[in-house]
Amino acid sequence: MKLDVTDEKSVNDAIKNIRSDAGRIDVLVNNAGYGLGGALEDVSMNEIRAQFETNVFGLIRVTQAVLPTMREQKSGIIVNISSIGGKMALPYFSPYISTKFAVEGLSESIAYDLEPFGIKVVLIEPGAIKTNFDSGMVMPAKSLDSGSPYFKNMQQVLGLMNSMLQNGSLPDKVAKVVLDAVTSQSPNLRYTAGDDAAFLVQKRKELSDPEFKKFVSEFLSKPSA
Ligand SMILES: NC(=O)c1ccc[n+]([C@@H]2O[C@H](COP(=O)([O-])OP(=O)(O)OC[C@H]3O[C@@H](n4cnc5c(N)ncnc54)[C@H](OP(=O)(O)O)[C@@H]3O)[C@@H](O)[C@H]2O)c1
């Protein structure tokens, strides 16, 4: 069934069709998303708006369309695919990182609102996963211009990101975490997914802001990076 999260009509039609075919909606997985990279100065407002339109407003649009059904049923679970980038910042991905921080805050907040109606909210925080994410990544033209003052540093980070994604965990690991969450009687609010995710989220928790910044900078300046 076609569903474009940036298109209100497409969302409403799809949810209406599911509702009339199945009579109920038990699980919503908000997975649609892509990465917009680049140093902030090199990214246009339109590119940033489009990034939020899919990763944040799209998630809100589908959630709003599903909520009346789940509320009437007094049950349901909403799974929002965040990222370790919703818990920590990496350089040259500020548009993407800010969408995932938004998803984290939104999810944590609506978990309170929806609890009285028997609706659960879960955040999944994957690390590097081998999907089509790297080929779907949007890099603004200005950020790919070697005249950009950010070009050299950004290229280094981009190279590292691509190699992390290519060596990432298989997506079925994330699917298994989602399945475990939606079949649990009392799911957690947050789950990490993928081989590197728990380690990095734990590091972010343990280290102070300057310590974590040093950890990331050292990691990025490794020769293999
Ligand atoms: N891969 C990673 O390392 C990683 C890590 C952390 C979090 N994530 C998150 O995981 C989620 C899935 O990404 P992925 O890694 O599986 O990347 P992907 O292979 O590029 O898949 C992205 C998915 O989002 C869908 N999508 C994009 N825009 C959409 C729209 N407007 N309406 C409906 N569907 C749309 C795509 O559908 P079409 O193919 O039909 O366009 C595709 O199924 C994203 O939210 C991403 O931020 C990925």
Side-chain angles (χ1 to χ4, degrees), residues 107-141:
S107 306
E108 199 169 322
S109 179
I110 64 171
Y112 291 101
D113 312 355
L114 300 177
E115 191 179 25
F117 301 99
I119 303 168
K120 292 166 185 148
V121 179
V122 164
L123 277 158
I124 308 287
E125 296 160 345
I129 311 294
K130 202 173 171 178
T131 63
N132 294 325
F133 188 83
D134 49 351
S135 56
M137 203 128 76
V138 175
M139 294 305 296

Side-chain angles (χ1 to χ4, degrees), residues 3-6 30-34 54-55 81-84 96 100 126-133 136 165:
L3 191 163
D4 175 356
V5 300
T6 68
N30 281 310
N31 176 63
Y34 70 91
T54 298
N55 291 15
I81 308 296
S82 173
S83 165
I84 55 164
Y96 178 71
K100 294 301 185 181
I129 311 294
K130 202 173 171 178
T131 63
N132 294 325
F133 188 83
L165 289 169

